Amino acid sequence: MLQHRPRWWPRFTSTLRSTAVTSRLGLALGIAIASLFVTGLLSHYQYEPWRWLPVPASPAWGYRVTQGLHVATGIATIPLLLVKLWSVYPNLFRFPPIRSLRRGLERLSVAVLVATALVQLATGFLNVLNWYGFGWFFPPVHRFLGYVLVGSVLLHVAVKLPDIAYGLRARLPEADVLTEVPWNENPHSHSNAGTLPDPPTPGISRRGMLAAAGAGIGVVVVTTIGQTVTPLSPLGLLAPRQHNRGPQGVPVNRTADQAQVAAAATAADWVLQVVGPRPYTLAPADLERLARHEARLPISCVEGWSVGAHWQGLSLLEIVQQAGGSEDSRVQVVSVERVGYNHSFVDGPQLGAALLATHLNGERLDLDHGYPLRLIAPNRPGVLNTKWLQRIEIVP
Ligand SMILES: Nc1nc2c(c(=O)[nH]1)N[C@H]1C(S)=C(S)[C@@H](COP(=O)(O)O)O[C@H]1N2
Ligand SMILES: [Mo]
């Protein structure tokens, strides 16, 4: 085996990298990943709640906040991860590449961590842009990768604990006392990013570099957060959605044309079928008569955009009681749509609060928003607010 690194082997001379820098970036990244994990688990529960723990109806904006945080944090984590990787990637070019089995395994666990993080953030971001062209169903893969990611972060933190403790104690602006030591040879450990003295004429200090990274992340967040924090939407230059772009001042996730429902939803013989112990149907004229309930509720998409709106419609619970159901019923609402997100379940506290909406922001529901009738309920992922309803079923 080669004893000395060959001349062509890459060398890294930037003195901006140090254990102090890397550990601070790592701390921020760890906090971001922890909050992504918590809000991600909440999102999963909201999407597929346990039968014995139905989702509460209040606060109505619950999902709006947790999912808004999840997506905003995920977007902020992309530049943060890139800076963190920049701060350690010379480790890839240590010489000799593999020194021991133990180190080889450690490198492998870092490879899993980095690969998972990159795939997770990249596919999550494509999702935020409403691009689902992966050929696999996103939610279970995203959740599984979340577990792998958190597991490998914990392993990484455990392995690096001495370096992290050293790095967080090390002062940032100065060299970490180790002069004459190559960047990757910190005597306190054999696995950290190492240190270098400050350059004689620094172009940017380590502290300045961290501040610049923080400012960049701030810009990314401020220019995208408007898609869910409505007062900030004028700043949302990079936001995938604008709160007021779309019919009736609400964005549309999937139009009637895309869902291929226009004909069925506007058919002259459309009626709402209510299925239960005492089944019946409601005609369009009945809807007008029964649409006496109003609520201000957000549409909060899993993709991270959300907007509050004024809704008017029928009480789902009243319709269900009329068919012989009760507050304790589990109800399935079914769309005229043939495939896709064409049904959802309502039970527990949300059943009492749910509307079958006929009007949005004071106007008869636009075809793209679910005409003639759609579900809207508080504290609920947008995807479960089924549009273009055809049938209400009390699940036996
Ligand atoms: N039948 C049906 N309902 C649906 C969808 C759909 O594709 N088909 N999309 C859902 C999604 S993902 C969201 S975010 C909301 C968006 O409602 P909007 O298009 O009225 O804003 O509708 C939901 N209801
Ligand atoms: Mo959505």
Coordinates of all heavy atoms in Angstrom, one line a residue, residues 45-93:
Y45 N -49.4 11.3 11.1 CA -50.5 10.9 12.0 C -51.8 11.6 11.4 O -52.9 11.0 11.4 CB -50.2 11.3 13.4 CG -51.5 11.5 14.3 CD1 -52.2 10.4 14.6 CD2 -51.8 12.8 14.7 CE1 -53.4 10.6 15.4 CE2 -53.0 12.9 15.5 CZ -53.7 11.8 15.8 OH -54.9 12.0 16.6
Q46 N -51.6 12.9 11.0 CA -52.8 13.6 10.5 C -53.3 13.0 9.2 O -54.5 13.0 8.9 CB -52.4 15.1 10.2 CG -52.0 15.9 11.4 CD -53.2 16.7 11.8 OE1 -54.3 16.3 11.7 NE2 -52.9 17.9 12.3
Y47 N -52.4 12.4 8.5 CA -52.7 11.9 7.2 C -53.4 10.5 7.3 O -54.3 10.2 6.6 CB -51.4 11.8 6.3 CG -51.6 11.2 4.9 CD1 -52.4 11.9 4.0 CD2 -50.8 10.2 4.5 CE1 -52.5 11.4 2.7 CE2 -50.9 9.7 3.2 CZ -51.7 10.3 2.3 OH -51.8 9.8 1.1
E48 N -52.9 9.7 8.2 CA -53.4 8.4 8.5 C -53.6 8.2 10.0 O -52.8 7.4 10.6 CB -52.5 7.3 7.9 CG -52.6 7.1 6.5 CD -51.6 6.1 5.9 OE1 -50.8 5.6 6.7 OE2 -51.6 5.9 4.7
P49 N -54.5 8.8 10.6 CA -54.6 8.8 12.1 C -55.0 7.4 12.6 O -55.6 6.6 11.8 CB -55.7 9.8 12.4 CG -56.5 10.0 11.2 CD -55.6 9.7 10.1
W50 N -54.5 7.0 13.8 CA -55.0 5.8 14.4 C -56.4 5.9 14.7 O -57.0 6.9 15.1 CB -54.2 5.6 15.7 CG -52.7 5.5 15.5 CD1 -52.0 4.6 14.8 CD2 -51.8 6.4 16.1 NE1 -50.7 4.9 14.9 CE2 -50.5 6.0 15.7 CE3 -51.8 7.5 17.0 CZ2 -49.3 6.6 16.1 CZ3 -50.7 8.1 17.4 CH2 -49.4 7.7 17.0
R51 N -57.1 4.7 14.5 CA -58.6 4.7 14.7 C -58.9 5.1 16.1 O -60.0 5.7 16.3 CB -59.1 3.3 14.3 CG -59.0 2.9 12.9 CD -60.0 3.7 12.1 NE -61.4 3.2 12.3 CZ -61.9 2.1 11.7 NH1 -61.1 1.6 10.7 NH2 -63.1 1.7 11.9
W52 N -58.1 4.7 17.1 CA -58.5 4.9 18.5 C -58.1 6.4 18.9 O -58.4 6.8 20.0 CB -57.8 3.9 19.4 CG -56.3 3.8 19.2 CD1 -55.7 3.0 18.3 CD2 -55.3 4.6 19.8 NE1 -54.3 3.2 18.3 CE2 -54.0 4.1 19.3 CE3 -55.3 5.6 20.8 CZ2 -52.8 4.7 19.7 CZ3 -54.0 6.1 21.2 CH2 -52.8 5.6 20.6
L53 N -57.5 7.1 18.0 CA -57.1 8.5 18.4 C -57.5 9.4 17.3 O -56.6 9.9 16.5 CB -55.6 8.6 18.8 CG -55.2 9.9 19.4 CD1 -55.9 10.2 20.7 CD2 -53.7 9.9 19.6
P54 N -58.8 9.7 17.1 CA -59.1 10.6 16.0 C -58.5 12.0 16.1 O -58.2 12.4 17.2 CB -60.7 10.7 16.1 CG -61.1 9.7 17.1 CD -59.9 9.4 17.9
V55 N -58.3 12.6 15.0 CA -57.6 14.0 15.0 C -58.6 15.0 15.6 O -59.7 15.1 15.2 CB -57.2 14.3 13.6 CG1 -56.5 15.7 13.6 CG2 -56.2 13.3 13.0
P56 N -58.1 15.8 16.5 CA -59.0 16.9 17.1 C -59.4 17.9 16.0 O -58.7 18.0 15.0 CB -58.1 17.5 18.2 CG -56.8 17.0 18.0 CD -56.8 15.8 17.1
A57 N -60.5 18.6 16.3 CA -60.9 19.6 15.3 C -60.3 21.0 15.6 O -60.4 21.9 14.7 CB -62.4 19.7 15.3
S58 N -59.7 21.1 16.8 CA -59.1 22.4 17.0 C -57.7 22.2 17.6 O -57.5 21.2 18.2 CB -60.0 23.2 18.0 OG -59.9 22.6 19.3
P59 N -56.8 23.1 17.4 CA -57.0 24.3 16.6 C -57.2 24.0 15.1 O -56.5 23.2 14.6 CB -55.7 25.1 16.9 CG -54.7 24.1 17.2 CD -55.4 23.0 17.9
A60 N -58.1 24.8 14.5 CA -58.4 24.6 13.1 C -57.1 24.7 12.2 O -57.0 24.1 11.2 CB -59.4 25.6 12.6
W61 N -56.1 25.5 12.7 CA -54.9 25.8 11.9 C -53.8 24.9 12.3 O -52.6 25.1 11.9 CB -54.5 27.2 12.2 CG -54.6 27.7 13.6 CD1 -55.7 28.4 14.1 CD2 -53.8 27.4 14.7 NE1 -55.5 28.6 15.4 CE2 -54.3 28.0 15.8 CE3 -52.5 26.8 14.8 CZ2 -53.7 28.0 17.1 CZ3 -52.0 26.7 16.1 CH2 -52.5 27.3 17.2
G62 N -54.1 23.8 13.1 CA -53.0 22.9 13.6 C -52.2 22.4 12.4 O -50.9 22.5 12.4
Y63 N -52.8 21.8 11.4 CA -52.0 21.2 10.4 C -51.3 22.2 9.5 O -50.2 22.0 9.0 CB -52.9 20.3 9.5 CG -52.1 19.6 8.4 CD1 -51.4 18.4 8.7 CD2 -52.0 20.0 7.1 CE1 -50.7 17.7 7.8 CE2 -51.3 19.3 6.1 CZ -50.6 18.2 6.5 OH -49.9 17.5 5.5
R64 N -52.0 23.4 9.4 CA -51.4 24.5 8.7 C -50.0 24.9 9.3 O -49.0 25.1 8.6 CB -52.3 25.7 8.8 CG -51.8 26.9 8.0 CD -52.8 28.0 8.0 NE -52.4 28.9 6.9 CZ -53.0 30.1 6.7 NH1 -54.0 30.5 7.4 NH2 -52.6 30.9 5.7
V65 N -50.0 24.9 10.6 CA -48.7 25.3 11.3 C -47.7 24.1 11.3 O -46.5 24.4 10.9 CB -49.0 25.7 12.8 CG1 -47.7 25.8 13.6 CG2 -49.8 27.0 12.8
T66 N -48.1 22.9 11.6 CA -47.1 21.8 11.6 C -46.5 21.5 10.3 O -45.3 21.4 10.1 CB -47.6 20.6 12.3 OG1 -48.8 20.1 11.6 CG2 -48.0 20.8 13.7
Q67 N -47.4 21.5 9.2 CA -46.9 21.2 7.9 C -46.2 22.4 7.3 O -45.2 22.2 6.6 CB -48.0 20.7 7.0 CG -47.6 20.1 5.7 CD -46.7 18.9 5.8 OE1 -46.6 18.3 6.9 NE2 -46.0 18.5 4.8
G68 N -46.7 23.6 7.6 CA -45.9 24.8 7.2 C -44.5 24.8 7.7 O -43.6 25.1 7.0
L69 N -44.4 24.5 9.0 CA -43.1 24.4 9.6 C -42.2 23.3 9.0 O -41.0 23.5 8.7 CB -43.2 24.1 11.1 CG -43.4 25.2 12.1 CD1 -43.6 24.7 13.5 CD2 -42.1 26.1 12.0
H70 N -42.8 22.1 8.7 CA -42.1 21.0 8.1 C -41.5 21.4 6.8 O -40.3 21.2 6.6 CB -43.0 19.8 8.0 CG -42.4 18.6 7.5 ND1 -41.6 17.8 8.4 CD2 -42.3 18.0 6.3 CE1 -41.1 16.8 7.7 NE2 -41.5 16.8 6.4
V71 N -42.3 22.0 6.0 CA -41.8 22.4 4.6 C -40.8 23.5 4.7 O -39.8 23.5 4.0 CB -43.0 22.7 3.7 CG1 -42.5 23.3 2.4 CG2 -43.8 21.4 3.4
A72 N -41.1 24.6 5.5 CA -40.2 25.7 5.6 C -38.8 25.2 6.2 O -37.8 25.6 5.7 CB -40.8 26.8 6.5
T73 N -38.9 24.4 7.2 CA -37.6 23.9 7.8 C -36.9 23.0 6.7 O -35.7 23.1 6.6 CB -37.9 23.0 9.0 OG1 -38.8 23.8 9.9 CG2 -36.6 22.7 9.8
G74 N -37.6 22.2 6.0 CA -37.0 21.4 5.0 C -36.3 22.2 3.9 O -35.2 21.9 3.5
I75 N -36.9 23.3 3.5 CA -36.3 24.2 2.5 C -35.1 24.8 3.1 O -34.0 24.9 2.4 CB -37.4 25.2 2.0 CG1 -38.5 24.6 1.2 CG2 -36.7 26.3 1.2 CD1 -39.6 25.5 0.8
A76 N -35.1 25.3 4.3 CA -34.0 25.9 5.0 C -32.8 24.9 5.1 O -31.7 25.3 5.1 CB -34.4 26.5 6.3
T77 N -33.2 23.6 5.3 CA -32.2 22.6 5.6 C -31.3 22.3 4.3 O -30.2 21.9 4.4 CB -32.9 21.3 6.1 OG1 -33.6 21.7 7.3 CG2 -31.8 20.3 6.5
I78 N -31.9 22.6 3.1 CA -31.1 22.3 1.9 C -29.8 23.1 1.9 O -28.7 22.5 1.8 CB -32.0 22.5 0.7 CG1 -33.2 21.5 0.6 CG2 -31.1 22.4 -0.6 CD1 -34.2 21.8 -0.5
P79 N -29.9 24.4 2.0 CA -28.6 25.2 2.0 C -27.7 24.8 3.3 O -26.5 24.7 3.2 CB -29.0 26.6 2.0 CG -30.4 26.7 2.3 CD -31.0 25.4 1.9
L80 N -28.4 24.6 4.4 CA -27.7 24.3 5.6 C -26.9 23.0 5.4 O -25.7 22.9 5.8 CB -28.6 24.2 6.8 CG -28.1 23.8 8.2 CD1 -27.0 24.9 8.5 CD2 -29.2 23.8 9.2
L81 N -27.5 22.0 4.9 CA -26.8 20.7 4.6 C -25.7 20.9 3.7 O -24.6 20.3 3.9 CB -27.8 19.6 4.1 CG -27.2 18.3 3.7 CD1 -26.7 17.6 5.0 CD2 -28.1 17.4 2.9
L82 N -25.9 21.7 2.6 CA -24.8 21.9 1.7 C -23.6 22.6 2.3 O -22.4 22.2 2.0 CB -25.3 22.7 0.5 CG -26.4 22.0 -0.4 CD1 -26.8 22.9 -1.5 CD2 -25.8 20.7 -1.0
V83 N -23.8 23.5 3.2 CA -22.7 24.2 3.8 C -22.0 23.2 4.8 O -20.8 23.1 4.8 CB -23.2 25.4 4.7 CG1 -22.0 26.1 5.3 CG2 -23.9 26.4 3.7
K84 N -22.8 22.4 5.5 CA -22.2 21.4 6.4 C -21.3 20.4 5.6 O -20.2 20.1 6.0 CB -23.3 20.7 7.1 CG -22.9 19.4 7.9 CD -22.2 19.8 9.2 CE -22.2 18.7 10.2 NZ -21.4 17.5 9.8
L85 N -21.8 20.0 4.4 CA -21.1 19.0 3.6 C -19.8 19.7 3.1 O -18.7 19.1 3.0 CB -21.9 18.5 2.5 CG -23.1 17.6 2.9 CD1 -23.9 17.1 1.6 CD2 -22.6 16.4 3.6
W86 N -19.9 21.0 2.7 CA -18.7 21.7 2.2 C -17.7 21.7 3.3 O -16.5 21.6 3.1 CB -19.1 23.1 1.8 CG -17.9 24.0 1.7 CD1 -17.1 24.2 0.7 CD2 -17.4 24.9 2.8 NE1 -16.1 25.0 0.9 CE2 -16.3 25.5 2.2 CE3 -17.8 25.2 4.1 CZ2 -15.5 26.4 3.0 CZ3 -17.0 26.0 4.8 CH2 -15.9 26.6 4.3
S87 N -18.1 21.8 4.6 CA -17.2 22.0 5.7 C -16.4 20.7 6.0 O -15.4 20.7 6.7 CB -17.9 22.5 6.9 OG -18.5 21.5 7.6
V88 N -17.0 19.6 5.5 CA -16.3 18.3 5.8 C -15.9 17.5 4.6 O -15.2 16.5 4.8 CB -17.2 17.4 6.7 CG1 -17.3 18.0 8.1 CG2 -18.5 17.1 6.1
Y89 N -16.2 17.9 3.4 CA -16.0 17.0 2.3 C -14.5 16.7 2.0 O -14.2 15.6 1.4 CB -16.7 17.5 1.0 CG -16.0 18.4 0.1 CD1 -15.2 18.0 -0.9 CD2 -16.0 19.8 0.4 CE1 -14.5 18.8 -1.8 CE2 -15.3 20.7 -0.4 CZ -14.5 20.2 -1.5 OH -13.8 21.0 -2.3
P90 N -13.6 17.5 2.4 CA -12.2 17.1 2.3 C -11.9 15.8 3.0 O -10.9 15.1 2.6 CB -11.4 18.2 2.9 CG -12.2 19.4 2.7 CD -13.6 18.9 3.0
N91 N -12.7 15.4 4.0 CA -12.6 14.1 4.6 C -12.6 12.9 3.6 O -12.1 11.9 3.8 CB -13.6 13.9 5.6 CG -13.3 14.5 7.0 OD1 -12.1 14.6 7.3 ND2 -14.3 15.0 7.6
L92 N -13.3 13.2 2.5 CA -13.4 12.1 1.5 C -12.0 11.8 0.9 O -11.8 10.8 0.3 CB -14.3 12.6 0.3 CG -15.8 12.6 0.5 CD1 -16.5 13.2 -0.7 CD2 -16.3 11.2 0.7
F93 N -11.1 12.8 1.0 CA -9.8 12.7 0.4 C -8.7 12.4 1.4 O -7.5 12.8 1.1 CB -9.5 13.9 -0.5 CG -10.6 14.1 -1.6 CD1 -11.6 15.0 -1.3 CD2 -10.6 13.4 -2.7 CE1 -12.6 15.2 -2.3 CE2 -11.5 13.6 -3.7 CZ -12.6 14.5 -3.5

